[in-house]
Amino acid sequence: MCLFIVAAIVFTAGIAFKFQISNEKSAGLKLPRDLNSMDYFLHTFEGMRSLDEVSDNKFRLPITWFLINMILFYFTGKYPYSEIYNNHGANVLLKGGSRSKWFISKWIWSVLCVILYYLAAYTSLMIFCLVGKIPISFDIRPLEYQNLLSPVSECTQIDTLKVIYLPIISSITAVSVQFVISLITSPFIGYMFMAVLYISSAYYFTPLLIGNFSMLARSSIFRVDGINIMQVTIRSIVVIFLSLIAGIWIFRRQDIMKGSRKCIFD
């Protein structure tokens, strides 16, 4: 279900952007080149520039970026702990003989969901471009247009791969954090925590808020003082590792047989 939802979000964002460009061209906008599939990709996953880069200094939550992430958090946060909210799930866990293996297996399931989710999103974007007769290109090219990201220097194919990879590693990191928060509290609280974290990330430009990692507009490729993707990778690995260690330590000491919490999502 979540794959169809993210496909619908991507298509809707693409259609809205296409109409926006068409309307602005009718009003006199002249672009130095035709937009391609990579331009639409950047527009879909850009997030937002920091407030100091916005002309009117008004905070507007980037809806497409926010929805793509929150839909993912909902589905990855709902399933993993649902097994221990009933007697059958608890019995399965006990027969498995290892809480650590159970925890890691659910985390791996979440990671695979993230990869599949973005594969569906990227595929949907390519299908939209093919249907809309938008040229398919994987080159990040400069463009003087305020509503589209433009690189601060010449980009290579490696930069393209980094841009495609960035939302994925960022989401794996966020899902790992959500996994632990949900374990300590509940899936609902974990989901609300991620919502607050990502709204805060949109408002504050700081590497301390991991939601910044997933916004292409905050990357060093598109702003001089942006977050370096290598730094994002290192910090993400550290956060993922600490989340796994904390989650396993907490889960091995948690009494799941005494008053199992009810999943508020169900």
Side-chain angles (χ1 to χ4, degrees):
M1 177 62 72
C2 66
L3 302 184
F4 291 107
I5 294 176
V6 72
I9 294 173
V10 168
F11 263 82
T12 302
I15 292 171
F17 189 50
K18 191 174 180 65
F19 273 108
Q20 177 185 339
I21 295 295
S22 178
N23 291 336
E24 292 187 11
K25 283 184 176 180
S26 299
L29 173 67
K30 292 183 179 180
L31 296 175
R33 62 175 176 82
D34 292 332
L35 300 186
N36 57 41
S37 58
M38 201 63 201
D39 294 316
Y40 276 79
F41 176 89
L42 297 178
H43 177 75
T44 302
F45 295 96
E46 68 174 331
M48 65 174 288
R49 297 174 174 85
S50 56
L51 287 180
D52 59 349
E53 294 181 292
V54 179
S55 58
D56 56 7
N57 289 325
K58 291 182 179 178
F59 175 71
R60 297 184 182 90
L61 185 68
I63 297 300
T64 300
W65 166 83
F66 187 69
L67 285 177
I68 288 175
N69 283 283
M70 296 314 297
I71 293 297
L72 175 62
F73 296 151
Y74 175 81
F75 282 96
T76 55
K78 178 180 178 181
Y79 167 73
Y81 295 117
S82 62
E83 282 192 358
I84 58 175
Y85 297 139
N86 55 68
N87 292 331
H88 171 72
N91 290 332
V92 170
L93 177 58
L94 290 175
K95 290 180 180 180
S98 173
R99 295 193 180 196
S100 298
K101 290 180 180 178
W102 182 94
F103 187 89
I104 292 175
S105 69
K106 297 306 178 185
W107 177 80
I108 292 174
W109 173 90
S110 298
V111 171
L112 293 177
C113 281
V114 171
I115 295 173
L116 184 61
Y117 185 82
Y118 278 101
L119 179 61
Y122 295 169
T123 302
S124 300
L125 184 60
M126 289 298 103
I127 293 174
F128 169 80
C129 291
L130 289 173
V131 173
K133 297 182 179 179
I134 299 166
I136 302 298
S137 174
F138 296 98
D139 294 328
I140 302 175
R141 299 168 57 190
L143 182 65
E144 293 184 5
Y145 175 52
Q146 63 177 357
N147 293 322
L148 190 65
L149 291 179
S150 186
V152 295
S153 60
E154 185 177 351
C155 290
T156 64
Q157 292 297 319
I158 297 298
D159 292 319
T160 299
L161 292 176
K162 288 179 179 179
V163 165
I164 294 174
Y165 146 88
L166 187 58
I168 299 175
I169 186 64
S170 301
S171 291
I172 291 175
T173 306
V175 164
S176 300
V177 173
Q178 181 189 15
F179 209 30
V180 177
I181 298 298
S182 298
L183 176 63
I184 298 173
T185 57
S186 72
F188 177 75
I189 298 299
Y191 182 77
M192 295 307 298
F193 175 85
M194 297 311 298
V196 172
L197 177 61
Y198 268 58
I199 291 173
S200 301
S201 298
Y203 191 85
Y204 296 105
F205 175 47
T206 169
L208 298 178
L209 296 174
I210 61 176
N212 280 276
F213 296 174
S214 66
M215 287 188 275
L216 300 182
R218 309 283 174 90
S219 166
S220 59
I221 293 178
F222 302 103
R223 67 177 282 166
V224 176
D225 61 341
I227 304 173
N228 184 276
I229 294 181
M230 182 57 66
Q231 293 178 354
V232 168
T233 302
I234 295 173
R235 289 170 180 170
S236 295
I237 292 173
V238 171
V239 172
I240 291 170
F241 178 76
L242 292 178
S243 297
L244 284 174
I245 296 299
I248 292 173
W249 186 85
I250 294 169
F251 191 56
R252 290 180 64 180
R253 287 158 178 77
Q254 199 170 52
D255 185 0
I256 64 171
M257 300 301 293
K258 183 179 179 181
S260 296
R261 294 166 298 169
K262 182 179 179 181
C263 180
I264 303 179
F265 282 151
D266 291 334

